Amino acid sequence: RIERDGPIGYVVLDNPARRNAISAGMWRAFPLLLAELGKDASVRCIVLRGEGEVAFAAGADISEFESNRASDDGVRSYEAATAAAHHALESTLKPVIAEIRGFCIGGGLAVALSCDLRYCAHDSQFAIPAARLGLGYGIHGHRRLVATVGHARAREIMFSARRYDAADALALGLVNRVLPAAELDGYVRTMARDLAANAPLTQAASKAAINAAIAEQGDYEQCEALIKRCMNSADYREGRSAFMEKRKPKFEGR
């Protein structure tokens, strides 16, 4: 579901009975919700979180696999839905923060890796247990993992299927910062508001350029177009004026 708090749009994984395991319907909802927030000019930053305090997401909902992945057509349909969800998170031009409490496992960690920034509570736990399930983890997920932690650490995470605590996750580079659980929500809200105050066209250009840099075939034409848009924008003129006048800029995304 979507929640709004001023310039912050929240996407909430709401399946607490199953530790926010991501169902097929939830995978299919990602592109719709991200598109809705992407079109909302009042939303300048997106936060992805799980309902409750037990889990961000305990993975894909494996209980559905017998029905959703029992045939070749079912596998293709399911994988298309998950790919579209990750693409929606990565391609929205607004910054996306993952606010992580509790379990962040398997598909849940893959979703977090598709976000731009990750902040977690001190009692969070992380793992990709594919090697304990006999599951072939996708190439795109591997690429995001390697881009985030490097190939040596990615090999340990994937081969061992071990569970890591928050301190380990920070050391590995899986998260940007670890907070006491009571402080996480306030920290993320402050960070999101700080991002919302910065130039959205610049953030969009930087996000596209970083994604292109870690992609197998980056869309550099889009990057150049977004960079050029910054240089010709009213926001760039506002930023220069604010700097010279020693005041805070007010960016409008145009």
Side-chain angles (χ1 to χ4, degrees):
R1 70 174 190 274
I2 284 178
E3 297 175 352
R4 288 176 170 83
D5 180 13
I8 309 170
Y10 286 87
V11 176
V12 183
L13 302 172
D14 189 3
N15 188 13
R18 300 191 62 80
R19 294 180 172 176
N20 296 324
I22 305 172
S23 66
M26 292 165 72
W27 287 119
R28 288 192 291 269
F30 268 104
L32 302 176
L33 300 184
L34 269 296
E36 180 178 338
L37 292 176
K39 294 175 183 176
D40 187 342
S42 69
V43 172
R44 301 279 283 269
C45 184
I46 298 170
V47 175
L48 178 64
R49 67 172 179 83
E51 176 65 25
E53 300 182 358
V54 175
F56 173 76
D61 192 341
I62 296 177
S63 69
E64 296 183 337
F65 280 13
E66 287 298 319
S67 57
N68 290 332
R69 304 183 69 171
S71 66
D72 289 345
D73 287 344
V75 168
R76 283 192 290 270
S77 176
Y78 185 88
E79 291 183 348
T82 60
H86 290 295
H87 178 72
L89 287 165
E90 294 162 14
S91 63
T92 180
L93 296 180
K94 300 178 181 183
V96 183
I97 299 173
E99 179 180 337
I100 302 168
R101 294 179 183 273
F103 296 103
C104 184
I105 309 294
L109 181 50
V111 165
L113 289 170
S114 288
C115 298
D116 300 302
L117 299 168
R118 287 163 293 282
Y119 301 105
C120 76
H122 72 282
D123 55 355
S124 300
Q125 298 184 52
F126 302 81
I128 300 178
R132 297 186 188 275
L133 298 170
L135 175 69
Y137 198 71
I139 293 173
H140 184 76
H142 277 99
R143 183 178 296 117
R144 297 293 293 196
L145 180 63
V146 170
T148 303
V149 304
H151 73 86
R153 289 171 171 172
R155 292 172 201 270
E156 178 188 306
I157 292 167
M158 295 306 304
F159 296 174
S160 71
R162 63 165 287 195
R163 188 167 293 185
Y164 298 91
D165 63 20
D168 289 333
L170 181 63
L172 288 167
L174 284 171
V175 297
N176 296 87
R177 191 179 295 269
V178 178
L179 285 303
E183 299 176 14
L184 177 63
D185 187 63
Y187 183 89
V188 170
R189 184 178 291 107
T190 298
M191 175 61 73
R193 288 186 178 275
D194 287 347
L195 297 184
N198 286 339
L201 300 184
T202 300
Q203 292 171 334
S206 292
K207 179 168 182 172
I210 293 167
N211 283 341
I214 66 175
E216 185 176 12
Q217 294 180 324
D219 188 347
Y220 293 103
E221 289 187 5
Q222 181 202 31
C223 295
E224 293 296 340
L226 290 171
I227 292 168
K228 183 177 180 180
R229 184 174 68 163
C230 290
M231 303 304 290
N232 295 328
S233 69
D235 277 355
Y236 183 36
R237 294 191 293 275
E238 164 65 8
R240 296 198 309 270
S241 297
F243 179 80
M244 296 301 294
E245 296 166 10
K246 294 182 171 55
R247 60 175 175 81
K248 288 185 178 181
K250 185 177 179 180
F251 297 116
E252 298 182 1
R254 57 185 179 85

